[in-house]
Amino acid sequence: MTRPRPRTPESESETRNPTGGGATAMRLIVPLQGVVQGRGGLILGSLIPCALFYFFQLYLKRHRSPKPGSNPTSPSQSSSNLSDLQRSSSRSNLSSRGSIGPVQVSSRASSIAKPNDSPYYIGLDRVSGDPYDRLDNPNGIIQLGLSENRLCFDLIEKWLSENTKDSVMGRDGADLSIGGIAPYQPSDGLMEFKVAMAGFMSQVMGRAVSFDPSQMVLTAGATPALEILCFCLADPGNAFLVPTPYYPGFDRDMRWRTGVELIPVHCRSTDNFIISITALDQAFNQTRKRGIKVRGILISNPSNPVGNLLPRETLYNLLDFAREKNIHIVSDEIFAGSMYGSEEFVSMAEILDMEDIDKNRIHIVYGLSKDLALPGFRVGVIYSFNESVLVAAKKLTRFSSISAPTQRLLISMVSDTRFIQEYIETNKKRIREMHDLFVEGLKQLGIKCAQSCAGLYCWADMSGLISFYSEKGELELWDKLLNIAKINVTPGSACHCIEPGWFRCCFTTLSQEDVVIVIERIRKVAETCKISS
Amino acid sequence: MALNKNQQLLSKIATNDRHGENSPYFDGWKAYDKNPYHPIDNREGVIQMGLAENQLCFDLIQKWIRGNPKASICTAEGVHEFKNIAIFQDYHGFKEFRQAVANFMGKARGGRVTFDPDRIVMSGGATGANETVMFCLANPGDAFLVPSPCYPAFDRDCGWRTGVQLIPVNCDSSNNFLITKAALEAAYERAQQDNINVKGLILANPSNPLGTVLDRDTLRSLVSFINEKKIHLVSDEIYAASVFSTPSFVSVSEIIEEMECDRDLIHIVYSLSKDMGLPGFRIGIVYSYNDAVVNCGRKMSSFGLVSSQTQHLLASMLSDDEFVDNFLKENSERLAKRHSLFTKGLEKVGITCLKSNAGLFVWMDLRRLLKEQTLESEMTLWRVIINEVKLNVSPGSSFHCSEPGWFRVCFANMDDVTVEVALERIRVFVEKQQVKSKRKFQSNLKLSFTSRRYDESVMSPHMMSPRSPLVRART
């Protein structure tokens, strides 16, 4: 995982180079033109700057900072070379069945075929190999790397058992046959489900804003929702600016098949990791200088992995910025209903409601995986104010539609406003209890957490425990936590955090006893770290 | 003006036409959407015969669901599983689900071949499966050969977001639309000369729209062709269990057991949308013999995972051997009966169809009703069928058929009464045509009148409601 911070001085010197190179060139040309008379002089006078310019571009190209993550261009070049080779071979050897080389898959497949080296994914794999279980495997790895909420299933189970007449085939009174859900449905979701989701979103966001079902496109999870939006808003080679630290899955959802780049905009703990417009502007300009077109900003609010909220002021500033640069804003609000603090969540939709702003550039992503803890059911939402985006996104949902029986089941659940209200309040309380317990436990070990009021995790500063204040040191600590303490947490470098030592710890899959065990395990590792440092 | 400004903010994919929904093919849907047939409420409406959906066996599935409440997580018997299912988002999918699907796929091929559950990768319907396979096999600009006539949405599914182009290999009625190795070789060579990198061959077997199955010899020659050229073979076998008479279905999975072949080149796309009549459940399967494709496709399945609730239900249903055996048998018989009823009805009015034994449709031959053997005549005739006869059938040109005059007509998405109504309308129409041909000068006027009326009713796709069958059609 590349760490951009040491490279910033380099890129700054790069931006200073063009003027330096230009001045040198001028100093060379003028005397030359003076020396060589006549037509030859003109030709030389134009050739030499061209040659210098060419060499300069070559220099810049070689020294351009490599993109974070995998470089997609080299595998495709190598694979296209190999396929050229195969074609010429097959022309001469039409009947040959000898193996000329391994059969070529696409460059996308080649880049993924090798094991993923991000600690985020490595950790998840390790846990599935040795998962903790209080009774069966007490020495297994405890999962703190997956933001799942297991705290309120009892409420949903209770609701289901009281409402079992709403079986997979429909409500009492309505179409009770499979003929209702088996056939083709609108690919962007049933209208009744959209209405139900609009009401649900409004309810979880404290009724501060209402959502219009006709501006919604439903997808099989928030993962395809993000990808579909990306396909609609950007062409391959374009970029989105993303404040760091950010959810590691963005790299897959926004970049992988779309060919779009994500440009990190670094945020600092001194600002509690809230984005500054200055940093955004700088990143925008630097990206433009590299010849890359920025199509939008991607934010998560409430933030993952930090767990804080973007204040109203920041949202207004982002809007102004987007309008000035004529770019989009994609706001991932999937944790909007997982608030446990006392702050007020402000959705992008609420800001737009209040102002008469150009709404065509704002798009919201939502889903039921976090707030209602139903990731298996695959329910995602694209909410946009842009008609053209809605039209295009609708067509793209052919690849990622929500299963009809799941929609039927959830329509009743999500429309039951009384149940949802009870769920939201209970969920809030339980997350807060878990959060307080966990954060207090960390505090006892001298580990502070960033201020947060939402999400299913906390953002812990373990820089005091790392031996080298660098990405290497952070990964060493992560390794110790995974292999010695046997807990899987997500290191900040996987989230592109510029400050080493931060870790995201999800606590909503734990019980209160588990928390005690986790803290104890961290304590043991913390002690060995303090001894060795 | 506002629309243009909006569109400037969008990507090329969002604003180009490769979704295919602007083609005249979908105008038939619009006509149906505006005036859908209903046996009681709207007897003069347009009958939908352009949607390949199997509604013949709902009762069997319904009976099974009612009799197995444990399989559903929203019943008293099944709710204790809710927690584990709701939280499960692993892209490997439930092991029981994959085993059940592998079991079903094997049974649909008469038990002649077994499938490995670990090679089963989920996707968002067969639509998503085809796209995923393309993402895994080809780079933007690469091409796949496809025998035509072919499923119209292949272009969108295989090429829209992937940037892959499809090169049709034309087949015509001179040899009953069989694919010949010569035709494939010619298409391949032409592509080479045009500097197009052909990565593979994609086909549907049983065929959509033809309704025929590939015989063993043709399959063997196809497999040897792709082996020679070292290109991939993607076999969309979505109608594998919708074969209702002889010859029996031979899957590419059987062929590779009996001949030497590089298995890394073989991929199968499947779904439960047609064989089980459950398109609303969105169950797509990619089955590849290539480990890199399985690995990559599995990661891509995050963009189209099957709902865990659906996985759980189907895992139970498809592991019930008694149910599956009975279902496959019943489905076959009902399709055969419906096919026979429809084709015999057509024969009575002198309309022949390509001899077919699979699928949910027939490939109807209306060449003798065309004024001229041209595309324009086919379109004219088609508009008449939609507007006068009030049947939404699909013209051959939308399947990239090079021979005008063929139409695909679906028969499995309606009850017996509606079939009779459709046949009656066709009978009336054909008889009218025979009278018309005696009064030629008048027929000219009539045809142009209807086409003008039709043009006025063509709307921009942007105005379509989300409930339009257009957007939920998989044809």
Side-chain angles (χ1 to χ4, degrees):
Chain A
M1 210 38 67
T2 55
R3 184 56 63 108
R5 191 184 54 160
R7 223 170 279 112
T8 342
E10 255 183 79
S11 59
E12 279 171 7
S13 69
E14 266 175 21
T15 55
R16 283 199 291 269
N17 259 339
T19 43
T24 326
M26 288 318 293
R27 271 188 234 118
L28 204 57
I29 291 161
V30 173
L32 273 176
Q33 279 187 314
V35 162
V36 182
Q37 304 291 333
R39 271 193 344 171
L42 267 175
I43 292 169
L44 268 181
S46 44
L47 272 180
I48 291 171
C50 288
L52 282 173
F53 192 65
Y54 168 73
F55 286 120
F56 177 65
Q57 288 294 328
L58 207 63
Y59 167 81
L60 272 184
K61 204 172 172 187
R62 287 223 186 92
H63 289 75
R64 187 172 291 167
S65 42
K67 302 170 194 142
S70 62
N71 188 344
T73 55
S74 41
S76 75
Q77 279 166 7
S78 61
S79 71
S80 65
N81 283 338
L82 274 173
S83 61
D84 280 343
L85 187 69
Q86 281 177 2
R87 243 191 307 164
S88 51
S89 296
S90 74
R91 272 171 181 280
S92 55
N93 282 333
L94 274 176
S95 56
S96 155
R97 286 189 194 208
S99 57
I100 301 162
V103 67
Q104 286 307 304
V105 291
S106 70
S107 58
R108 274 174 282 244
S110 317
S111 66
I112 291 310
K114 58 184 191 301
N116 204 309
D117 50 10
S118 161
Y120 176 67
Y121 294 105
I122 294 178
L124 292 179
D125 283 343
R126 287 288 310 277
V127 174
S128 41
D130 181 17
Y132 167 80
D133 186 287
R134 207 170 305 132
L135 302 164
D136 299 331
N137 189 14
N139 289 323
I141 308 178
I142 302 184
Q143 175 70 289
L144 296 171
L146 199 53
S147 65
E148 267 175 8
N149 183 352
R150 294 183 189 240
L151 304 177
C152 290
F153 276 131
D154 55 318
L155 296 177
I156 298 186
E157 278 168 3
K158 181 159 153 272
W159 182 91
L160 277 175
S161 48
E162 287 166 6
N163 294 269
T164 48
K165 53 188 191 293
D166 296 341
S167 77
V168 69
M169 289 187 292
R171 297 190 85 128
D172 240 23
D175 191 77
L176 268 178
S177 73
I178 194 92
I181 49 167
Y184 284 103
Q185 316 284 337
S187 62
D188 59 324
L190 298 170
M191 189 39 109
E192 300 110 297
F193 193 36
K194 286 188 190 177
V195 169
M197 284 301 296
F200 178 79
M201 284 171 72
S202 176
Q203 206 177 353
V204 302
M205 295 186 195
R207 296 230 182 272
V209 62
S210 68
F211 290 91
D212 180 356
S214 66
Q215 285 174 232
M216 253 189 201
V217 164
L218 301 182
T219 60
T223 298
L226 276 167
E227 199 200 32
I228 285 175
L229 264 180
C230 197
F231 269 117
C232 289
L233 303 177
D235 294 316
N238 293 162
F240 267 80
L241 301 173
V242 199
T244 69
Y246 64 79
Y247 161 54
F250 279 166
D251 285 326
R252 171 201 59 192
D253 301 346
M254 299 285 290
R255 288 177 55 218
W256 187 15
R257 307 192 303 183
T258 59
V260 166
E261 254 199 79
L262 287 184
I263 309 289
V265 181
H266 295 294
C267 307
R268 316 214 167 245
S269 53
T270 42
D271 300 326
N272 200 36
F273 297 101
I274 304 260
I275 186 149
S276 88
I277 299 296
T278 328
L280 198 61
D281 201 28
Q282 206 179 27
F284 183 88
N285 291 329
Q286 279 178 351
T287 311
R288 248 215 329 213
K289 284 210 179 84
R290 284 166 53 197
I292 297 173
K293 188 168 179 198
V294 173
R295 294 308 283 259
I297 307 168
L298 171 63
I299 57 173
S300 65
N301 179 30
S303 156
N304 180 0
V306 180
N308 57 6
L309 302 178
L310 288 181
R312 214 176 268 270
E313 178 85 24
T314 312
L315 293 176
Y316 277 119
N317 292 337
L318 285 171
L319 272 173
D320 286 336
F321 184 82
R323 207 189 0 230
E324 186 198 318
K325 308 290 184 194
N326 194 24
I327 58 178
H328 296 273
I329 297 182
V330 176
S331 179
D332 182 357
E333 302 188 347
I334 200 175
F335 289 100
S338 302
M339 297 274 307
Y340 50 80
S342 48
E343 289 87 333
E344 167 210 15
F345 171 68
V346 181
S347 162
M348 265 298 178
E350 196 186 324
I351 303 280
L352 294 179
D353 242 6
M354 295 168 40
E355 299 263 321
D356 192 26
I357 311 177
D358 172 18
K359 301 182 183 183
N360 283 314
R361 55 184 84 257
I362 310 300
H363 321 278
I364 295 173
V365 167
Y366 187 67
L368 293 183
S369 303
K370 313 291 179 186
D371 290 348
L372 211 50
L374 305 172
F377 288 2
R378 316 311 302 146
V379 177
V381 179
I382 297 175
Y383 191 82
S384 176
F385 297 85
N386 186 324
E387 265 311 305
S388 309
V389 169
L390 287 174
V391 163
K394 265 180 203 156
K395 297 191 173 95
L396 286 169
T397 53
R398 298 294 261 113
F399 301 105
S400 318
S401 300
I402 308 180
S403 183
T406 304
Q407 293 189 58
R408 278 270 159 243
L409 164 63
L410 291 176
I411 287 171
S412 357
M413 194 191 292
V414 151
S415 315
D416 187 342
T417 44
R418 211 165 46 93
F419 163 69
I420 296 297
Q421 197 54 39
E422 184 201 335
Y423 183 92
I424 294 171
E425 281 163 11
T426 315
N427 194 28
K428 187 173 178 163
K429 190 164 83 73
R430 291 183 187 177
I431 301 179
R432 186 174 42 232
E433 278 168 8
M434 218 33 114
H435 168 264
D436 291 348
L437 183 66
F438 195 80
V439 169
E440 184 58 39
L442 288 179
K443 202 160 144 217
Q444 302 291 334
L445 305 177
I447 299 172
K448 285 214 194 72
C449 294
Q451 253 192 14
S452 63
C453 53
L456 310 174
Y457 37 75
C458 61
W459 187 234
D461 183 4
M462 299 197 195
S463 51
L465 300 179
I466 62 182
S467 31
F468 307 102
Y469 188 67
S470 65
E471 181 183 342
K472 188 162 171 286
E474 178 188 284
L475 288 175
E476 264 178 26
L477 177 59
W478 171 72
D479 194 79
K480 276 195 202 138
L481 289 169
L482 185 61
N483 292 310
I484 303 176
K486 301 200 104 178
I487 61 170
N488 177 37
V489 290
T490 308
S493 50
C495 307
H496 305 271
C497 184
I498 200 168
E499 294 177 14
W502 292 89
F503 288 82
R504 185 188 79 167
C505 314
C506 304
F507 46 73
T508 45
T509 49
L510 309 173
S511 67
Q512 302 203 339
E513 295 87 14
D514 294 334
V515 172
V516 175
I517 296 174
V518 168
I519 299 294
E520 192 48 41
R521 291 188 185 186
I522 300 178
R523 177 196 301 280
K524 293 211 181 86
V525 168
E527 275 162 14
T528 60
C529 291
K530 290 203 176 95
I531 291 170
S532 58
S533 66
Chain B
M1 198 59 198
L3 203 66
N4 275 339
K5 192 171 157 235
N6 273 353
Q7 291 197 319
Q8 275 165 29
L9 282 179
L10 267 57
S11 67
K12 295 196 185 84
I13 283 182
T15 47
N16 70 17
D17 262 349
R18 285 205 72 180
H19 48 76
E21 290 183 24
N22 287 341
S23 85
Y25 167 67
F26 286 101
D27 293 335
W29 299 102
K30 292 171 196 159
Y32 169 76
D33 200 23
K34 282 198 296 183
N35 185 17
Y37 171 82
H38 190 273
I40 302 163
D41 301 333
N42 187 12
R43 303 186 56 111
E44 297 306 312
V46 175
I47 299 181
Q48 175 65 286
M49 304 192 86
L51 180 57
E53 204 174 55
N54 184 353
Q55 297 188 2
L56 302 180
C57 289
F58 281 162
D59 57 315
L60 299 175
I61 296 183
Q62 190 155 299
K63 189 162 152 237
W64 188 93
I65 292 180
R66 284 234 160 85
N68 291 270
K70 264 182 69 177
S72 168
I73 47 174
C74 23
T75 55
E77 296 87 337
V79 75
H80 64 276
E81 289 283 342
F82 182 87
K83 207 165 41 183
N84 296 328
I85 291 167
I87 204 99
F88 185 81
Q89 54 174 330
D90 183 348
Y91 58 36
H92 287 83
F94 282 126
K95 187 140 174 265
E96 301 79 12
F97 172 69
R98 284 182 284 119
Q99 280 168 342
V101 170
N103 181 37
F104 184 78
M105 285 171 75
K107 279 186 188 284
R109 290 154 182 75
R112 296 181 292 273
V113 64
T114 53
F115 289 90
D116 176 4
D118 290 332
R119 290 197 172 278
I120 292 200
V121 167
M122 298 181 286
S123 59
T127 301
N130 277 316
E131 194 195 40
T132 298
V133 168
M134 287 300 148
F135 267 125
C136 291
L137 298 180
N139 294 323
D142 288 343
F144 261 72
L145 300 174
V146 58
S148 77
C150 67
Y151 168 54
F154 265 163
D155 203 33
R156 171 198 66 198
D157 298 350
C158 301
W160 188 14
R161 299 194 291 187
T162 60
V164 168
Q165 44 175 323
L166 290 185
I167 300 177
V169 180
N170 291 325
C171 310
D172 56 54
S173 57
S174 58
N175 66 343
N176 282 329
F177 295 95
L178 281 177
I179 317 164
T180 59
K181 198 162 177 189
L184 282 175
E185 294 270 4
Y188 185 83
E189 288 303 318
R190 231 172 310 133
Q192 301 279 67
Q193 280 160 17
D194 291 339
N195 243 336
I196 298 175
N197 184 17
V198 176
K199 280 313 272 279
L201 167 67
I202 180 168
L203 48 78
N205 177 33
S207 163
N208 177 2
L210 302 175
T212 54
V213 299
L214 288 176
D215 60 278
R216 214 174 210 97
D217 287 331
T218 310
L219 269 172
R220 291 176 73 100
S221 72
L222 289 179
V223 172
S224 75
F225 172 76
I226 56 119
N227 256 288
E228 254 177 60
K229 309 290 186 210
K230 281 219 133 344
I231 60 177
H232 296 275
L233 175 62
V234 178
S235 182
D236 182 345
E237 302 191 345
I238 199 178
Y239 291 102
S242 302
V243 179
F244 44 82
S245 63
T246 51
S248 62
F249 171 61
V250 179
S251 161
V252 72
S253 53
E254 294 172 53
I255 298 293
I256 60 175
E257 298 292 337
E258 19 175 285
M259 64 184 279
E260 221 190 274
C261 166
D262 181 358
R263 289 191 175 208
D264 278 348
L265 298 171
I266 308 292
H267 321 275
I268 296 177
V269 162
Y270 190 59
S271 164
L272 297 182
S273 300
K274 309 294 181 181
D275 288 346
M276 292 202 74
L278 300 172
F281 283 35
R282 310 314 301 145
I283 302 167
I285 305 288
V286 175
Y287 189 93
S288 175
Y289 291 88
N290 182 325
D291 290 339
V293 172
V294 171
N295 197 6
C296 179
R298 193 180 281 139
K299 294 190 165 83
M300 285 188 184
S301 60
S302 299
F303 299 109
L305 286 178
V306 176
S307 162
S308 53
Q309 174 202 19
T310 307
Q311 286 186 52
H312 180 70
L313 179 67
L314 267 307
S316 278
M317 200 190 287
L318 298 182
S319 4
D320 183 346
D321 281 334
E322 201 188 310
F323 167 76
V324 169
D325 291 334
N326 181 48
F327 182 90
L328 290 172
K329 184 165 95 48
E330 270 297 315
N331 190 34
S332 220
E333 282 171 11
R334 294 182 191 185
L335 280 173
K337 206 167 127 204
R338 178 58 65 86
H339 175 261
S340 172
L341 171 70
F342 195 67
T343 46
K344 290 210 164 60
L346 288 177
E347 269 166 34
K348 278 207 192 97
V349 288
I351 295 182
T352 53
C353 302
L354 182 72
K355 189 156 176 301
S356 66
N357 64 324
L360 311 173
F361 33 73
V362 291
W363 190 231
M364 190 166 71
D365 184 358
L366 293 184
R367 287 176 292 173
R368 66 182 181 84
L369 291 182
L370 289 186
K371 262 183 62 186
E372 301 153 357
Q373 300 299 314
T374 61
L375 173 60
E376 290 73 26
S377 284
E378 181 184 280
M379 285 286 113
T380 310
L381 176 58
W382 174 57
R383 287 181 199 130
V384 168
I385 298 178
I386 292 183
N387 292 313
E388 281 189 13
V389 190
K390 296 223 172 54
L391 300 177
N392 179 28
V393 298
S394 313
S397 50
S398 54
F399 298 88
H400 303 292
C401 184
S402 51
E403 220 176 272
W406 294 88
F407 289 80
R408 189 192 76 172
V409 186
C410 302
F411 54 68
N413 59 325
M414 55 189 73
D415 56 30
D416 286 331
V417 172
T418 314
V419 175
E420 293 295 343
V421 172
L423 284 171
E424 179 61 22
R425 289 185 187 182
I426 295 175
R427 189 185 63 78
V428 166
F429 171 67
V430 169
E431 281 171 9
K432 242 191 344 195
Q433 291 294 94
Q434 283 166 349
V435 171
K436 250 191 233 166
S437 66
K438 291 178 186 160
R439 291 189 263 145
K440 243 183 171 166
F441 71 102
Q442 279 217 20
S443 76
N444 268 341
L445 270 173
K446 269 204 168 153
L447 284 172
S448 60
F449 174 64
T450 54
S451 68
R452 230 181 333 121
R453 212 177 61 198
Y454 172 72
D455 286 338
E456 281 164 13
S457 67
V458 168
M459 291 189 305
S460 147
H462 294 305
M463 294 186 221
M464 274 191 310
S465 69
R467 296 204 63 117
S468 160
L470 168 61
V471 294
R472 60 180 155 96
R474 200 208 171 232
T475 69

